[in-house]
């Protein structure tokens, strides 16, 4: 049987993340892009499937580089609506400690479906909660990712510094270092895929300076180097965190990162707000990545990531929605719009263009995950694509289709494909009972809060 060749023909507009002229569309085969056609150009060989994209704006599939899927169960919970990070965490930790495998599966599926509907094809999740009964949390997440047909970087998070030892998390949420490292090795051996087209990858992700010991940070860095996987953590999110590091370690955050062997190109950091110029230069020289999470940073009043200084210094930059209890949405298009606006407040309209910010959400985010096969439209890249229509009232009267996605507030893709397979058609996730999922997830959320 001959391979299927698909032509996405003559899109209304297309953003490639690399300047290529793709106005004639794309030819896809065996899960990858095999031709990028300029305006008026025809495919080099016949295509047995043709999709008329004249009503669609095509983007590379968006890539979310920081999330906490389980937090979809605690969105907009009144006791934490008006709290900054540390009290927000202290109030939520006891609730999250009641998480079960069944509730995590529902939370993960909701987060992934919401991301997929927003045009996101690859997501990194930072799961660091392993209370009794939830030891196989990452295994649960793997099944949900496979069910929805997305790509994921599932990070094996950890918390080893509990309240009794001066950390923030309650004791029932922390694990011993040996348990953490043994499970990390198991997950990498069982699930981590390498090479182009990988669907599931594993990274190591001690949660934060205030919830893990320096020993687990150092041991995780050693293991990541040995097994060639990536490292992820929260850093420089708030001034409270900076104060914690100074008081406990006698070091600022980047000095602490360096002291435990994390300052390098294997690492990407969530938030990265409170850096001084010297720290920015060191992060850039090391090729360390930063995930900008604008909605969460605004919601918790944490601050604004210095994106331009970081990228000018050589640091990699991508975007993430962060946990759904501090955003409280899992929507990458809305996150990209927020990045555009908050960064304009810092740097002005001329520097922060829609194309620049879309680049952070695609090619930039791919670089944080160490991937060169996704995040842009070019020959040989994976056929992970998001297609948006501009036929709703909010877009009426708009002129530049790519800019309209952000300026007019696009929040839902019409079609999404992963590896040239349609996962969203006509704004609906293929094979997903969305009403049933919402009902089950909503019930689980009520039970988690109630402790039943």
């Amino acid at each position: 049987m001959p391979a299927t060749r698909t032509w996405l023909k003559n899109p209304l507009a297309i953003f490639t993340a690399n300047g290529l002229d793709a106005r004639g569309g794309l030819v896809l085969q065996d899960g990858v892009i095999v031709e990028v056609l300029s305006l008026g150009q025809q495919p080099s060989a016949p295509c047995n499937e043709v999709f008329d994209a004249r009503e669609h704006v095509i983007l590379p599939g968006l890539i979310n580089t920081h999330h906490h899927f389980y937090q979809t169960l605690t969105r907009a919970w009144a006791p934490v609506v008006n709290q900054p990070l540390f009290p927000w965490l202290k109030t939520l930790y006891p609730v999250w400690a009641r998480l079960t495998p069944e509730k995590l599966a529902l939370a993960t599926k909701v987060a992934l479906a919401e991301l997929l509907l927003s045009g996101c094809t690859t997501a990194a999740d930072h799961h660091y909660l392993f209370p009794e009964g939830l030891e196989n949390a990452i295994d649960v997440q793997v099944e949900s990712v496979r069910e929805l047909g997305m790509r994921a970087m599932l990070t094996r998070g950890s918390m080893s510094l509990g309240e009794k030892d001066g950390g923030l998390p309650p004791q029932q949420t922390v694990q011993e270092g040996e348990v953490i490292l043994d499970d990390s090795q198991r997950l990498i051996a069982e699930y981590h895929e390498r090479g182009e087209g990988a669907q599931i990858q594993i990274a190591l992700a001690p949660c934060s300076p205030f919830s893990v010991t320096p020993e687990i940070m150092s041991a995780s860095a050693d293991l990541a180097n040995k097994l060639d996987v990536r490292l992820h953590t929260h850093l420089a999110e708030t001034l409270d965190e900076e104060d914690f590091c100074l008081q406990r370690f006698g070091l600022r955050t980047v000095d602490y990162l360096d002291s435990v062997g994390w300052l390098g190109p294997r690492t990407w950091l969530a938030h990265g707000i409170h850096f001084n110029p010297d720290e920015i230069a060191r992060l850039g020289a090391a090729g360390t990545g930063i995930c900008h999470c604008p909605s969460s940073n605004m919601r918790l009043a944490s601050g604004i990531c210095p994106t331009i200084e970081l990228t000018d210094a050589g640091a990699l930059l991508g975007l993430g929605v962060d946990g759904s209890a501090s955003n409280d949405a899992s929507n990458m298009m809305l996150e990209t719009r927020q990045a555009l606006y908050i960064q304009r407040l810092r740097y002005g309209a001329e520097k922060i263009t829609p194309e620049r910010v879309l680049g952070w959400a695609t090619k930039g985010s791919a670089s944080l995950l160490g991937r060169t096969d996704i995040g842009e439209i070019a020959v040989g890249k994976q056929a992970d694509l998001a297609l948006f229509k501009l036929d709703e009232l909010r877009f009426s009267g708009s002129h530049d289709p790519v800019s309209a996605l952000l300026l007019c507030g696009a929040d839902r893709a019409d079609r999404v494909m992963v590896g040239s397979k349609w996962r969203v058609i006509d704004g609906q996730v293929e094979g997903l009972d969305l009403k049933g999922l919402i009902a089950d997830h909503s019930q689980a959320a009520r039970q988690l809060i109630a402790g039943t």
Side-chain angles (χ1 to χ4, degrees), residues 69-70 104 108 112 125 127 136-146 154-155 200:
F69 294 161
Y70 74 88
L104 176 61
T108 299
L112 289 169
D125 189 58
H127 187 86
N136 292 327
I138 305 301
D139 306 76
V140 170
Q141 293 188 312
V142 167
E143 292 307 307
S144 295
V145 172
R146 287 175 174 166
L154 300 175
T155 74
I200 304 284

Side-chain angles (χ1 to χ4, degrees), residues 271-275 280 284 288 290-294 297 303-319 338-348 351-353 356-357 360:
H271 304 294
I273 297 168
H274 299 286
F275 296 133
I280 289 172
T288 299
I290 308 293
C291 172
H292 177 31
C293 304
N297 296 163
I304 303 175
C305 177
T307 56
I308 301 303
E309 287 92 342
L310 284 163
T311 53
D312 284 352
L316 307 176
L317 190 87
L319 297 183
Q338 290 283 45
L340 176 78
Y341 288 148
I342 195 171
Q343 292 298 322
R344 283 191 169 190
L345 278 181
R346 188 175 187 116
Y347 299 108
K351 278 192 174 182
I352 308 297
T353 65
R356 184 173 205 161
V357 178
W360 293 342

Side-chain angles (χ1 to χ4, degrees), residues 86 160-162 165-169 206-218 233-236 239-260 262:
F86 273 25
S160 61
L161 185 68
D165 297 314
L168 251 66
C207 185
S208 62
F210 49 82
S211 59
V212 296
T213 61
E215 289 77 17
I216 201 65
M217 289 290 285
S218 296
T233 193
H234 300 92
L235 199 79
L239 292 173
D240 285 343
E241 178 194 322
E242 184 178 295
D243 291 342
F244 181 95
C245 288
L246 286 167
Q247 290 173 23
R248 188 171 183 90
F249 312 121
L251 299 168
R252 285 176 56 84
T253 53
V254 174
D255 289 326
Y256 174 67
L257 198 72
D258 198 5
S259 75
V260 291
W262 276 60

Side-chain angles (χ1 to χ4, degrees), residues 142-412:
V142 167
E143 292 307 307
S144 295
V145 172
R146 287 175 174 166
E147 184 178 341
L148 270 79
M150 296 174 68
R151 304 187 200 277
M153 174 74 83
L154 300 175
T155 74
R156 204 299 181 184
S158 56
M159 296 198 294
S160 61
L161 185 68
E163 283 178 315
K164 74 177 180 65
D165 297 314
L168 251 66
Q171 290 305 125
Q172 69 265 38
T173 64
V174 303
Q175 292 181 302
E176 294 296 325
E178 186 177 353
V179 172
I180 293 165
L181 295 170
D182 286 349
D183 192 48
S184 297
Q185 291 188 72
R186 177 188 71 83
L187 291 166
I188 294 165
E190 192 162 344
Y191 296 120
H192 185 67
E193 300 173 22
R194 301 182 188 274
E196 296 188 352
Q199 182 183 18
I200 304 284
Q201 295 190 314
I202 304 293
L204 305 185
C207 185
S208 62
F210 49 82
S211 59
V212 296
T213 61
E215 289 77 17
I216 201 65
M217 289 290 285
S218 296
S220 295
D222 290 342
L223 186 60
N225 285 326
K226 177 184 173 184
L227 300 181
D228 190 24
V229 296
R230 298 186 82 74
L231 289 165
H232 183 52
T233 193
H234 300 92
L235 199 79
E237 182 177 2
T238 66
L239 292 173
D240 285 343
E241 178 194 322
E242 184 178 295
D243 291 342
F244 181 95
C245 288
L246 286 167
Q247 290 173 23
R248 188 171 183 90
F249 312 121
L251 299 168
R252 285 176 56 84
T253 53
V254 174
D255 289 326
Y256 174 67
L257 198 72
D258 198 5
S259 75
V260 291
W262 276 60
L263 193 58
R266 193 181 298 281
T267 299
W268 89 101
L269 309 168
H271 304 294
I273 297 168
H274 299 286
F275 296 133
N276 63 32
D278 174 66
E279 290 164 342
I280 289 172
R282 291 168 65 194
L283 289 162
T288 299
I290 308 293
C291 172
H292 177 31
C293 304
S295 294
S296 176
N297 296 163
M298 287 187 273
R299 155 75 196 269
L300 297 173
S302 301
I304 303 175
C305 177
T307 56
I308 301 303
E309 287 92 342
L310 284 163
T311 53
D312 284 352
L316 307 176
L317 190 87
L319 297 183
V321 301
D322 199 12
S324 295
S326 68
N327 184 317
D328 295 28
S330 306
N331 189 304
M332 270 300 289
M333 278 303 290
L334 292 181
E335 200 63 33
T336 307
R337 186 179 198 235
Q338 290 283 45
L340 176 78
Y341 288 148
I342 195 171
Q343 292 298 322
R344 283 191 169 190
L345 278 181
R346 188 175 187 116
Y347 299 108
E350 298 88 351
K351 278 192 174 182
I352 308 297
T353 65
E355 290 80 8
R356 184 173 205 161
V357 178
L358 283 168
W360 293 342
T362 53
K363 190 174 181 179
S365 283
S367 73
L368 296 197
L369 304 185
R371 298 194 65 157
T372 58
D373 61 330
I374 57 176
E376 59 181 310
I377 291 172
V379 171
K381 305 297 181 183
Q382 298 297 306
D384 295 3
L385 303 166
L387 284 69
F388 293 82
K389 281 188 170 181
L390 304 183
D391 58 355
E392 295 178 62
L393 185 62
R394 74 184 78 183
F395 300 111
S396 182
S398 64
H399 299 276
D400 174 40
V402 172
S403 296
L405 292 177
L406 299 186
L407 301 181
C408 301
D411 63 357
R412 191 155 179 159

